[in-house]
Amino acid sequence: MSSEQIQKIRSDLSVTQTNMTILSDMITELRPGQEHPEDRQLLEQLHGTCRAMQTRIVELIGALEDDKLTADLLEINDNMNNLFLRLVIVKLLTCS
């Protein structure tokens, strides 16, 4: 993989981490049943965007030869899974 391709991946990961931070903040602030429809829509859009990026991350993990980048991808994937778990818990609280 060329250095330009690796730089592009790192740039995409930076955007992904920003989206994850925003999603995490929204989950933290979310009060089930009291959220604004626009906030709920943004939350769902960020969730979808992160899910799509996670698919790409998983594909890259098996394809890269750069150990440092692979380690970074694994860490981001773990953090993303934890974030999705928090979202599931919030959704379950909303339904109960």
Side-chain angles (χ1 to χ4, degrees):
M1 186 167 282
S2 73
S3 60
E4 291 83 18
Q5 289 171 313
I6 290 174
Q7 188 60 33
K8 171 71 169 109
I9 291 170
R10 290 211 175 273
S11 175
D12 290 347
L13 289 177
S14 177
V15 170
T16 299
Q17 288 176 306
T18 299
N19 286 341
M20 289 171 60
T21 299
I22 295 168
L23 182 57
S24 179
D25 291 347
M26 289 186 76
I27 292 169
T28 299
E29 296 297 320
L30 189 66
R31 301 293 173 252
Q34 298 176 5
E35 69 273 3
H36 294 282
E38 298 86 17
D39 291 341
R40 182 57 128 181
Q41 183 179 13
L42 177 58
L43 183 103
E44 293 301 330
Q45 287 173 344
L46 284 169
H47 179 230
T49 300
C50 287
R51 280 277 183 206
M53 190 58 189
Q54 185 182 40
T55 300
R56 183 165 178 234
I57 286 171
V58 170
E59 291 170 357
L60 286 170
I61 288 170
L64 292 176
E65 296 178 14
D66 183 314
D67 290 341
K68 171 68 172 123
L69 184 54
T70 299
D72 291 344
L73 290 171
L74 287 168
E75 181 179 356
I76 291 169
N77 187 58
D78 287 347
N79 292 339
M80 207 175 278
N81 284 328
N82 290 330
L83 185 60
F84 295 155
L85 182 59
R86 286 181 55 211
L87 184 57
V88 167
I89 292 169
V90 167
K91 286 182 177 185
L92 286 173
L93 290 174
T94 301
C95 294
S96 55

